[in-house]
């Protein structure tokens, strides 16, 4: 493989698309067995040595050359052309590049090599390339998917944040052990899956996911310190009978929260009179031994008094208007005399 890459770099006519395509087809055929097998074995504890040994596979030789080249080197475009042609024939190349960039610990915090690789493809779209590569990896090796995920999501957060489709891919792929690892990364501040303030689209979309996906989703949600106010749209939209997973997690969330005007108003405005979410949360806050019972009582009183105050204000205003009209009529009578 090393000799082939060297030949590509010295060949003047390699920029011809047909020649590049034929060469890529031959390389993919030669490396087919390596692409077909797992990068890391199943059931073996991964060590730094295991990971670094994988980089000795011939698949990674083009990546190593690409890494060593200066951005302005014209030969770099030839190598990107070869990799692009290989990608069209062997789509696993993309996640192998992501694996290489993580394990090799290169000084490339933005993974610019992967960005260049995606940009060199036909109809380049970084987000779509990331999704396809990670989706294929989730099918091939879920454990490796979970291993790469924190770095991939952090580096490409602007492309993947608030991406409902990618988030569902995560919760559909992981198992309890992987979820535990992700929660640890989140709690330690190494990963933030929800950096955007508006979670409305993701929360609403999650209602259609299966129960296991929603279970993992809410575990990841709870690992973040997300203000309860960001769940207000879901409180309005969720149905206790159709969406038991979301409702149960909202109840647990509200149990840890002190009552506020916004939360109480949202719960009181829910339409179903037998609504478990509203009844449970309001009952919990109203219990005498609850530390927030007094606060909850004051909020309820303010809601009750508000309509009365409005009614009194309307009555006073009406009486004032009547008195003003009477005064005007009296003045007219006096002037006519």
């Amino acid at each position: 493989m090393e000799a082939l890459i060297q030949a590509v770099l010295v060949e003047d006519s390699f920029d011809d698309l047909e020649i590049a395509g034929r060469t890529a087809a031959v390389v993919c055929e030669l490396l087919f067995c390596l692409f077909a097998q797992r990068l890391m074995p199943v059931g073996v504890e991964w060590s730094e040595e295991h990971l670094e040994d994988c980089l000795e596979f011939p698949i990674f030789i083009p990546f190593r050359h690409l890494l060593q080249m200066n951005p302005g080197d014209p030969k770099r475009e030839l190598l990107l052309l070869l990799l692009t042609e290989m990608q069209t024939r062997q789509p696993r190349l993309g996640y192998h590049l992501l694996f290489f960039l993580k394990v090799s610990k290169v000084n490339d915090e933005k993974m610019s090599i992967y960005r260049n690789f995606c940009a060199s493809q036909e109809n380049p779209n970084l987000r779509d390339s990331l999704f396809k590569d990670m989706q294929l990896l989730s099918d091939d090796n879920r454990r490796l998917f979970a291993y790469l995920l924190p770095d991939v999501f952090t580096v490409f957060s602007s492309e993947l944040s608030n991406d409902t489709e990618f988030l569902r891919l995560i919760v559909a792929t992981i198992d309890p052990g992987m979820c535990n690892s992700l929660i640890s990364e989140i709690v330690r501040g190494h990963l933030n899956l929800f950096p955007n303030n508006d979670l409305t689209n993701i929360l609403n979309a999650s209602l259609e996911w299966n129960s296991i996906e929603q279970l993992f989703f809410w575990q990841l949600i709870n690992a973040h310190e997300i203000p309860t106010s960001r769940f207000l749209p879901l409180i309005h939209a969720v149905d206790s009978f159709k969406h038991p997973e979301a409702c149960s997690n909202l109840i647990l969330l509200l149990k840890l929260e002190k009552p506020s005007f916004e939360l109480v108003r949202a719960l009181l405005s829910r339409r179903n009179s037998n609504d478990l979410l509203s009844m449970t949360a309001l009952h919990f806050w109203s219990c005498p031994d609850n530390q927030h019972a007094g606060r909850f009582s004051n909020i309820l009183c303010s809601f009750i008094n508000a309509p009365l105050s409005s009614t009194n204000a309307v009555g006073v205003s009406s009486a004032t208007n009547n008195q003003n009209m009477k005064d005007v009529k009296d003045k007219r009578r006096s002037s006519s005399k």
Side-chain angles (χ1 to χ4, degrees):
M1 188 65 178
E2 177 68 33
L4 188 146
I5 297 300
Q6 293 291 350
V8 166
L9 296 178
V10 299
E11 177 61 50
D12 293 333
S13 62
F14 190 77
D15 57 352
D16 182 272
L17 191 60
E18 184 177 354
I19 295 176
R22 290 177 181 176
T23 306
V26 172
V27 173
C28 288
E29 186 67 28
L30 292 173
L31 299 178
F32 178 79
C33 59
L34 292 177
F35 279 113
Q37 72 181 25
R38 286 174 175 267
L39 273 175
M40 297 299 296
V42 180
V44 177
E45 189 67 28
W46 293 357
S47 64
E48 292 294 326
E49 290 75 17
H50 278 124
L51 295 169
E52 291 174 0
D53 287 345
C54 288
L55 297 185
E56 299 302 319
F57 293 171
I59 297 172
F60 299 108
I61 292 177
F63 301 152
R64 194 172 292 110
H65 276 274
L66 195 62
L67 179 64
Q68 295 169 352
M69 290 180 172
N70 294 323
D73 191 336
K75 298 294 184 180
R76 196 169 187 269
E77 295 301 319
L78 297 179
L79 193 51
L80 282 172
L81 176 60
L82 173 64
L83 292 173
T84 300
E85 291 298 313
M86 288 177 63
Q87 171 74 1
T88 61
R89 294 160 175 80
Q90 178 48 264
R92 289 178 174 83
L93 189 69
Y95 75 67
H96 278 75
L97 177 54
L98 290 171
F99 175 82
F100 171 80
L101 292 174
K102 177 176 173 63
V103 176
S104 61
K105 299 176 182 178
V106 298
N107 186 21
D108 187 9
E109 295 181 356
K110 295 184 178 180
M111 291 193 179
S112 56
I113 293 178
Y114 181 83
R115 295 175 187 271
N116 296 151
F117 169 69
C118 294
S120 66
Q121 298 174 25
E122 187 177 1
N123 301 320
N125 185 303
L126 181 56
R127 182 269 170 197
D128 289 349
S129 295
L130 279 167
F131 183 82
K132 290 177 183 177
D133 289 339
M134 294 299 286
Q135 185 178 44
L136 184 56
L137 178 56
S138 71
D139 294 334
D140 288 351
N141 193 332
R142 294 193 304 162
R143 189 177 174 190
L144 189 57
F145 173 92
Y147 173 74
L148 293 182
L149 178 62
D151 289 81
V152 169
F153 198 93
T154 300
V155 172
F156 301 102
S157 59
S158 59
E159 287 79 18
L160 299 177
S161 293
N162 226 26
D163 190 315
T164 301
E165 192 177 14
F166 190 79
L167 193 62
R168 186 175 190 183
L169 175 65
I170 294 174
V171 296
T173 301
I174 60 177
D175 61 22
M178 298 170 191
C179 186
N180 182 51
S181 298
L182 290 178
I183 289 173
S184 299
E185 292 291 316
I186 293 166
V187 172
R188 287 184 291 168
H190 299 161
L191 176 63
N192 184 1
L193 295 174
F194 307 102
N196 293 347
N197 290 326
D198 188 3
L199 296 178
T200 305
N201 291 337
I202 292 178
L203 290 171
N204 288 335
S206 71
L207 299 177
E208 305 301 322
W209 302 348
N210 67 47
S211 294
I212 296 299
E213 292 170 349
Q214 290 192 57
L215 171 65
F216 288 141
F217 171 71
W218 279 100
Q219 286 185 318
L220 295 175
I221 281 276
N222 292 328
H224 294 76
E225 295 182 358
I226 300 176
T228 309
S229 59
R230 290 164 69 176
F231 297 94
L232 282 173
L234 186 64
I235 293 176
H236 288 291
V238 77
D239 185 295
S240 297
F241 299 101
K242 295 179 181 179
H243 314 122
E245 300 90 352
C247 282
S248 60
N249 279 281
L250 283 173
I251 289 173
L252 295 175
L253 186 70
L254 294 173
K255 183 181 177 183
L256 300 175
E257 188 70 23
K258 62 183 179 181
S260 67
F261 285 93
E262 292 77 12
L263 289 175
V264 174
R265 182 185 292 110
L267 292 168
L268 290 174
S269 64
R270 288 174 58 80
R271 298 178 180 179
N272 194 335
S273 58
N274 296 320
D275 178 53
L276 281 176
L277 174 59
S278 296
M279 288 192 299
T280 305
L282 296 174
H283 179 270
F284 175 77
W285 284 331
S286 67
C287 291
D289 57 346
N290 189 297
Q291 60 177 328
H292 302 305
R295 178 184 177 87
F296 177 65
S297 177
N298 292 334
I299 292 173
L300 277 185
C301 287
S302 67
F303 282 132
I304 295 171
N305 292 332
L308 295 176
S309 300
S310 300
T311 302
N312 292 336
V314 171
V316 171
S317 176
S318 178
T320 303
N321 290 337
N322 290 338
Q323 183 62 44
N324 291 338
M325 290 294 293
K326 184 179 179 181
D327 293 342
V328 170
K329 289 179 180 179
D330 290 342
K331 288 181 180 180
R332 288 178 179 175
R333 289 172 184 171
S334 299
S335 61
S336 62
K337 292 178 180 179

